[in-house]
Amino acid sequence: MDAHKKILRTLDKARTAPRVTEKEWDQIIVPNTAAEVVKAHGLTKTCDPVNPVNTDLELADKFFKAGWDLALRLGFFCPDTESVVKVDEEELHREFCKAPASFTVGKNNEVVTVSARKPSDGKPPVYVAPLSIQMDEELYVPLAEGIVSSRLVDMQEGPSIDTVMGRPLLADTPYETFAGIYEYHLRKEAQWRAGRVGMASALVSSSSTHFGFLGAFHLYEQPQIALCLNPASLKVNYTTLHKCFVANELNAFIRSESPTMIGGYTGGPEATAICSIATDILQFPITGAHLPGSPSYDIRYAGNCGRHGIWTQSIATQAVTRNSNILQMKTINQVAGPFTKMFFLETISGMTAASASGQTFTISPRSAGGSVKNHLTPLECWYNAAVFKGAAGISLAKANEIVKEVIPQFEDDLYNPPKGRSFQDLYDIKTLTPCEEYVKFYLEMREYAKSLGITMPGDGVLC
Amino acid sequence: MSEEILKKLAEAMYEGDSDLVETLTKEALDAGVAPGDIIEKGGVSALDRLGKDFSELVVFLPQLMLAGHAMNKLLQIVRPHLSEKEGASRGKIIIGTAKGDFHDIGKSLVATQLEVSGFEVIDIGTNVSTNEFIQKAEETGADIIAMSSLLTTSQYYMEDCIKRLNDEGKRGTYRVVVGGGPIRQNYAEKIGADGYARTAYGSVSLCKELMKKTPDTEFIAIDA
Ligand code: B12
């Protein structure tokens, strides 16, 4: 009941707070307040793109204080009511201290405990695959089966579909409600075929609005991880809250997310980092998320494996993981596609920095920026998992060295990345076997990561 | 004297200070500065600098948006002083994100780029239904309907909008452009749009080209 009361409080606040327009919030209140806080905490121009993984932990602590300060000054904007849900210090402190430091999901052989990590923690983080990459509906089962056939993958989230039994899955219609139900059946089949009955999921992937979620989340044996994304960083809306009520009633764990954009409304890297920290901290009193994750993307290429992306995301992660026991989740956003060298290099850059900075949990990959249909295969997922887990225990200085080695090899292509090849092109779908040339390349890229000092645990299928 | 005013004007434009831009534009006209110079040296030069600084993370989206509004103000004041040909607005554009889709970052960037390039832009937000697109285009007398979609489940509504315009005999009244993460040139062409651009910068040349469109102009794609 406590969890329900929290959401009711958020709704009450949104309903009764004075009106603020979204334009004012986006274009004036957020940028100006974030810039003021950066200045007040002496963080101006602290971003060091030459050394993308921050190694100055005192600086990370200063960012945490600034993020906290910003959280109290801002709150979350609610577009449905055009008002701001504010939180006072006592409430923020209380809810933040109550944030869970671990939870367990999955049944039988599939039990996974998600627990808080610190920078350079030797404990491997939890890896979930894939993001909601769009696939032809007939490819859902083979792809998902292929992905979860490696035990490097702890849980399943995507992919998602855009047709249901050959019909267009129109967002915001009953087709979407049905898509949630349909995804449930497809997922069960894929997990069964892969011998992973009982594995936990993050849901509902094929649900653009709340309909698919409300129609299908309850079908799963609980607890699962509920996908309750925010409409934007520092915002919450009715769609999110609809889902939160249902998730809480079912004792599920809430995963929140919405990226801050470097160069967008939040401003430069420093201001963007504190907006991400504030977004994560505010989830506790406002939505009650268990897995807060506001990543930072570079607006110039909508990814975060380049210098500014890595710096911003790593300092925000270090700030939170050093100063709390919360379960920090963030996504790593590649922009290149399957079977391109760039994709693998982006992965080394993003996943090493994330793991070394103390991230607990991630969901990936975002092959081809997530925006080219069918451009995802199991191999990219396994590679992401191996780097993320294999980089556990690496020092921040070492992570910085690795990132500095790989970024120059792809940074010029971030603005026009190669989209790579599709699942059908790279796999024999019937037998679920990858083509030889891709396997060879994948194994070479694993060796390359090892040569950089990442342990690269085996995927249990090809190696 | 006029150089001095233009310098101040360019500075105010860079800062996105619409009120100061208004005052200085009027001053420049009173001082007899050629309208073309006011636009180029007072407006466009500052916007070019902003664009470069945005790509180097010196300025950010809110500054671009403010400058977009300031440029609009400048053009409103200068336009009556231009010859009829020069003074014509680049065109009026309705822009929004398709139904079911709340992604607004790319759409706002496109709206801003179009505005700073002299188009009159009416941003109708996210989760916009086909009815709303058409109704707003009719109400405002738009030349171009620009639809953004990041979700394959919403991109169907772009096709729906074009079909509705066709069915209702209104297709000839508007140029329709589409874009957003998953949208590709062949999809845009297939659903019968007039053009597609991959980026916000590309959307400017796309819309400029389309404003010159004759009935037999072919589909335009800008892969930049
Ligand atoms: C940020 C983001 C979010 C944020 C949105 C915040 C906001 N207020 O906008 C949040 C977290 C809310 C979100 C939610 C969801 N998202 Co989302 N999201 C993204 C992400 C990471 C970045 C998008 C972005 O802002 N890019 C930056 C801008 C600058 O790029 P852009 O929009 O493409 O625009 C450029 C061009 O395309 C072009 N352009 C854009 N519009 C137009 C219009 C015209 C006319 C023209 C000419 C050009 C043009 O110019 C722009 C500038 O150059 C993408 C992945 C990615 N890397 O792209 C996923 C992505 C778009 N999301 C995705 C999904 C699936 C979802 C959810 C359904 C997830 C879920 N299961 O809940 C929900 C849907 C919510 C909804 N109903 O809208 C998928 C879509 C897959 C697909 N093909 O359908 C993507 C691709 C990620 C993925 N595959 O994993 N998301």
Side-chain angles (χ1 to χ4, degrees):
Chain A
M1 197 58 200
D2 265 7
H4 286 327
K5 281 190 182 151
K6 187 182 292 184
I7 311 289
L8 286 171
R9 254 197 327 265
T10 297
L11 280 171
D12 295 342
K13 284 186 190 175
R15 197 168 41 81
T16 52
R19 181 165 182 265
V20 172
T21 68
E22 191 153 21
K23 195 168 160 189
E24 251 180 290
W25 180 258
D26 287 340
Q27 296 181 26
I28 299 165
I29 300 175
V30 170
N32 292 356
T33 317
E36 272 165 38
V37 173
V38 164
K39 204 164 159 206
H41 287 257
L43 303 177
T44 311
K45 294 216 180 337
T46 47
C47 171
D48 177 7
V50 177
N51 290 296
V53 181
N54 172 61
T55 50
D56 175 353
L57 295 173
E58 273 175 31
L59 183 65
D61 295 345
K62 281 194 191 166
F63 268 82
F64 182 76
K65 288 205 180 83
W68 184 274
D69 185 7
L70 188 69
L72 291 172
R73 291 211 207 177
L74 285 176
F76 276 3
F77 177 79
C78 174
D80 297 289
T81 50
E82 293 206 300
S83 60
V84 179
V85 177
K86 290 258 184 204
V87 174
D88 67 34
E89 179 133 36
E90 186 276 321
E91 192 183 3
L92 183 59
H93 194 73
R94 176 170 30 97
E95 297 302 331
F96 191 70
C97 290
K98 281 198 288 189
S102 77
F103 65 77
T104 299
V105 283
K107 299 267 148 38
N108 309 325
N109 292 341
E110 300 295 342
V111 172
V112 176
T113 298
V114 179
S115 63
R117 293 175 76 242
K118 299 282 173 202
S120 305
D121 204 319
K123 178 173 56 187
V126 174
Y127 178 76
V128 183
L131 281 162
S132 302
I133 314 281
Q134 226 69 28
M135 298 298 291
D136 287 336
E137 62 175 297
E138 53 285 4
L139 296 180
Y140 182 103
V141 173
L143 176 70
E145 177 192 345
I147 290 172
V148 304
S149 64
S150 167
R151 291 211 155 255
L152 284 176
V153 178
D154 298 307
M155 297 178 212
Q156 185 191 344
E157 178 171 304
S160 51
I161 48 174
D162 59 0
T163 55
V164 277
M165 299 190 166
R167 290 140 174 105
L169 195 184
L170 288 143
D172 209 17
T173 68
Y175 288 112
E176 201 190 306
T177 310
F178 177 68
I181 299 168
Y182 188 44
E183 183 186 301
Y184 165 76
H185 292 287
L186 296 178
R187 186 182 294 259
K188 260 183 92 168
E189 182 173 343
Q191 294 182 358
W192 175 76
R193 280 171 178 254
R196 300 206 56 182
V197 173
M199 93 182 287
S201 289
L203 307 153
V204 172
S205 186
S206 302
S207 177
S208 307
T209 69
H210 43 279
F211 288 113
F213 182 94
L214 298 184
F217 189 70
H218 64 94
L219 300 175
Y220 294 84
E221 194 177 333
Q222 299 294 334
Q224 304 283 354
I225 294 179
L227 262 177
C228 304
L229 309 188
N230 306 60
S233 54
L234 296 164
K235 288 185 190 174
V236 64
N237 64 3
Y238 283 172
T239 289
T240 314
L241 299 176
H242 275 300
K243 296 182 185 178
C244 289
F245 272 125
V246 174
N248 286 330
E249 182 63 21
L250 297 172
N251 294 317
F253 300 104
I254 293 176
R255 138 157 147 70
S256 69
E257 179 185 337
S258 226
T260 50
M261 290 277 173
I262 305 162
Y265 296 126
T266 53
E270 299 84 1
T272 301
I274 62 169
C275 286
S276 270
I277 298 168
T279 301
D280 284 348
I281 294 175
L282 284 165
Q283 298 290 353
F284 297 102
I286 296 180
T287 63
H290 301 80
L291 274 170
S294 173
S296 300
Y297 299 148
D298 191 319
I299 196 168
R300 297 169 297 178
Y301 59 92
N304 60 5
C305 299
R307 294 175 187 278
H308 296 90
I310 297 284
W311 186 87
T312 307
Q313 181 134 312
S314 67
I315 200 148
T317 304
Q318 294 165 16
V320 169
T321 55
R322 272 176 61 78
N323 289 281
S324 74
N325 277 322
I326 71 168
L327 303 170
Q328 179 78 80
M329 109 108 221
K330 280 183 196 287
T331 46
I332 310 304
N333 198 119
Q334 297 92 345
V335 290
F339 204 179
T340 64
K341 186 165 184 194
M342 180 169 170
F343 173 86
F344 289 85
L345 297 172
E346 284 185 281
T347 302
I348 297 177
S349 169
M351 288 293 170
T352 306
S355 188
S357 296
Q359 226 177 275
T360 287
F361 191 100
T362 200
I363 303 162
S364 80
R366 187 99 78 193
S367 45
S371 56
V372 189
K373 206 172 166 183
N374 300 333
H375 275 51
L376 169 68
T377 84
L379 298 194
E380 299 90 66
C381 304
W382 303 348
Y383 193 83
N384 273 253
V387 179
F388 192 43
K389 294 182 178 192
I394 280 181
S395 69
L396 292 169
K398 175 73 185 163
N400 187 38
E401 212 178 276
I402 295 174
V403 167
K404 281 172 79 166
E405 173 71 28
V406 294
I407 287 188
Q409 299 179 53
F410 65 79
E411 61 188 332
D412 289 345
D413 296 324
L414 284 166
Y415 300 92
N416 209 351
K419 70 177 172 30
R421 290 163 60 181
S422 67
F423 183 41
Q424 307 95 300
D425 197 13
L426 292 169
Y427 259 70
D428 177 336
I429 310 285
K430 286 216 172 73
T431 59
L432 263 184
T433 3
C435 67
E436 256 174 53
E437 45 171 349
Y438 194 22
V439 173
K440 187 167 165 272
F441 181 72
Y442 163 79
L443 294 173
E444 273 168 24
M445 291 310 293
R446 281 182 53 97
E447 288 310 310
Y448 176 63
K450 279 187 200 162
S451 75
L452 295 172
I454 304 164
T455 53
M456 301 298 285
D459 57 40
V461 182
L462 296 172
C463 56
Chain B
M1 162 76 173
S2 57
E3 284 304 313
E4 189 62 16
I5 301 177
L6 287 176
K7 223 171 122 196
K8 278 195 203 153
L9 179 58
E11 217 31 60
M13 179 63 67
Y14 185 89
E15 295 299 326
D17 185 339
S18 285
D19 292 341
L20 192 56
V21 163
E22 184 173 353
T23 316
L24 290 169
T25 307
K26 287 181 182 156
E27 247 177 61
L29 283 172
D30 291 345
V33 183
D37 281 350
I38 299 180
I39 296 176
E40 286 302 320
K41 297 185 183 158
V44 175
S45 68
L47 296 176
D48 285 347
R49 190 150 66 91
L50 267 175
K52 191 170 159 286
D53 286 351
F54 178 67
S55 67
E56 287 167 9
L57 293 180
V58 177
V59 299
F60 316 113
L61 187 56
Q63 281 104 317
L64 285 192
M65 290 177 135
L66 287 174
H69 301 321
M71 185 67 184
N72 235 333
K73 187 106 271 163
L74 180 148
L75 288 171
Q76 271 171 24
I77 302 167
V78 174
R79 208 163 268 141
H81 300 267
L82 293 168
S83 68
E84 202 170 305
K85 189 160 159 266
E86 289 171 325
S89 142
R90 283 238 160 107
K92 196 182 273 186
I93 303 180
I94 288 283
I95 188 166
T97 308
K99 187 170 165 67
D101 191 341
F102 293 97
H103 294 85
D104 69 348
I105 300 160
K107 181 263 306 157
S108 301
L109 259 182
V110 172
T112 304
Q113 284 299 341
L114 290 168
E115 190 166 33
V116 297
S117 307
F119 286 95
E120 198 178 320
V121 180
I122 301 147
D123 185 343
I124 51 175
T126 58
N127 189 23
V128 178
S129 69
T130 300
N131 283 347
E132 279 172 273
F133 269 116
I134 298 178
Q135 197 184 327
K136 281 282 183 240
E138 285 177 343
E139 266 170 36
T140 56
D143 302 293
I144 298 181
I145 299 177
M147 291 184 280
S148 176
S149 169
L150 281 254
L151 298 174
T152 19
T153 51
S154 287
Q155 97 190 26
Y156 293 118
Y157 292 108
M158 294 178 162
E159 188 174 357
D160 184 51
C161 184
I162 294 174
K163 189 171 170 299
R164 277 276 302 282
L165 289 170
N166 273 324
D167 292 350
E168 292 172 16
K170 296 173 185 158
R171 182 67 184 87
T173 317
Y174 309 103
R175 292 110 171 134
V176 179
V177 297
V178 297
I183 308 299
R184 296 281 169 273
Q185 174 183 341
N186 53 2
Y187 175 78
E189 212 166 347
K190 192 183 97 199
I191 63 170
D194 294 299
Y196 156 83
R198 190 171 64 83
T199 67
Y201 291 111
S203 71
V204 176
S205 22
L206 171 65
C207 292
K208 281 186 191 166
E209 280 304 307
L210 280 176
M211 288 306 293
K212 297 185 214 145
K213 184 178 171 346
T214 59
D216 50 359
T217 308
E218 293 200 345
F219 175 83
I220 303 172
I222 312 268
D223 186 30

